[in-house]
């Protein structure tokens, strides 16, 4: 087991979009999930639920998604920030940097479409966490689920694993829930987390992702 500090896990974590085929040991995932139970949640609701899929069942689910249209209506909108000009510009800048790193030109629509399809196969990750929760939960509990998922990703990093949050999978929410035996009436599908070991040689994992300076987003009062 790694002796990585929390700071090292935070600073070395990134969203990985190309994974090695190496399987992820069940005992490692169980250890991560056991620790993640201690993530904070309002009134100790612990609203998160998940199924982790690998091997033949994962391949079967991914084949079903590739063969099916995205659902309509969608489960929820995760792209609303695009209506804000600054956020749309940021999205385009990140996309341009990612495609440039891969050597994919703006006019190469086939290559871009193939990369979008890679979302359905979780970029080759050998395991995928599928996160969902009770539809009766409101915005505060959605935040709780987000804190749990961040905890999971940092614990995965501590174990030498990598991850990528996948809101895109919500476009197949009903299909996913039906496949894993979760009721669409009672549960909302939140997102997937691709899990595995990063392919360091793949340029998509290395393009620069700048962070805002502390004073750009955080104020300190009364010190």
């Amino acid at each position: 087991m790694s002796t990585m500090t929390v700071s090292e896990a935070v600073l070395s974590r990134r969203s990985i979009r190309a994974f090695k085929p190496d399987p992820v040991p069940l005992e490692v995932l169980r250890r991560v999930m056991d620790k993640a139970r201690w993530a904070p949640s309002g009134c100790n609701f612990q609203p998160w639920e998940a199924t982790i899929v690998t091997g033949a069942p994962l391949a079967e689910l991914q084949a079903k998604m590739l063969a099916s249209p995205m659902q309509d209506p969608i489960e929820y909108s995760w792209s609303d920030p695009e209506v804000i000009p600054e956020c749309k510009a940021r999205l385009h800048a990140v996309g341009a940097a990612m495609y440039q790193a891969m050597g994919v030109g703006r006019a190469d629509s086939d290559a871009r479409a193939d990369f979008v399809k890679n979302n359905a196969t979780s970029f080759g990750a050998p395991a995928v966490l599928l996160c969902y929760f009770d539809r009766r939960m409101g915005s505060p509990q959605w935040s709780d689920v987000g804190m749990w998922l961040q905890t999971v990703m940092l614990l995965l990093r501590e174990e030498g694993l990598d991850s990528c949050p996948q809101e895109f999978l919500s476009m197949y929410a009903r299909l996913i829930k039906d496949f894993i035996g979760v009721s669409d009436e009672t549960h909302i599908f939140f997102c997937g987390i691709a899990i595995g070991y990063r392919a360091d040689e793949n340029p998509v994992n290395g393009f620069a992702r700048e962070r805002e300076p502390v004073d750009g987003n955080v104020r300190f009062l009364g010190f």
Side-chain angles (χ1 to χ4, degrees):
M1 180 178 169
S2 170
T3 57
M4 188 180 296
T5 66
V6 174
S7 293
E8 288 169 337
V10 170
L11 295 175
S12 64
R13 194 218 67 81
R14 63 184 295 139
S15 294
I16 295 303
R17 294 180 174 86
F19 290 87
K20 296 178 180 179
D22 307 25
V24 179
L26 175 59
E27 61 269 20
V28 173
L29 292 174
R30 290 193 65 87
R31 185 161 60 234
V32 166
M33 294 299 112
D34 187 50
K35 292 179 181 179
R37 294 183 299 126
W38 299 98
S41 64
C43 297
N44 202 24
F45 279 141
Q46 304 172 56
W48 48 79
E49 299 179 50
T51 297
I52 303 179
V53 191
T54 191
L58 178 59
E60 182 182 352
L61 173 59
Q62 291 171 340
K64 287 179 180 291
M65 286 191 286
L66 289 173
S68 303
M70 296 179 189
Q71 71 180 52
D72 185 20
I74 59 177
E75 185 84 324
Y76 63 89
S77 176
W78 45 269
S79 59
D80 281 346
E82 290 184 35
V83 304
I84 305 172
E86 296 88 344
C87 291
K88 192 169 186 177
R90 179 71 62 88
L91 176 68
H92 288 173
V94 170
M98 183 170 62
Y99 286 122
Q100 182 179 25
M102 296 187 295
V104 176
R106 181 176 293 276
D108 195 343
S109 56
D110 289 341
R112 287 174 174 247
D114 286 342
F115 187 73
V116 171
K117 287 181 181 178
N118 284 344
N119 278 279
T121 55
S122 296
F123 313 111
V128 178
L129 181 151
L130 304 170
C131 178
Y132 44 90
F133 53 88
D134 194 309
R135 285 190 180 276
R136 294 172 295 178
M137 296 296 176
S139 301
Q141 289 76 48
W142 284 51
S143 298
D144 291 345
V145 175
M147 288 188 284
W148 177 73
L149 289 170
Q150 179 71 356
T151 300
V152 168
M153 288 188 287
L154 292 178
L155 288 168
L156 288 168
R157 190 72 200 108
E158 180 188 52
E159 295 280 357
L161 287 158
D162 289 288
S163 60
C164 182
Q166 290 191 274
E167 296 93 341
F168 176 87
L169 294 186
S170 68
M171 307 303 287
Y172 297 96
R174 287 196 295 272
L175 186 157
I176 291 171
K177 283 182 281 189
D178 181 68
F179 184 85
I180 61 178
V182 172
S183 170
D184 182 56
E185 290 186 6
T186 62
H187 284 72
I188 187 167
F189 178 84
F190 193 49
C191 74
I193 299 287
I195 301 172
Y197 302 93
R198 73 179 70 178
D200 287 315
E201 72 284 355
N202 195 306
V204 75
N205 289 334
F207 74 94
R209 303 172 208 191
E210 300 299 330
R211 289 295 189 265
E212 292 294 320
V214 171
D215 292 332
N217 287 337
V218 180
R219 296 188 301 159
F220 300 90
L221 300 179
F223 292 91

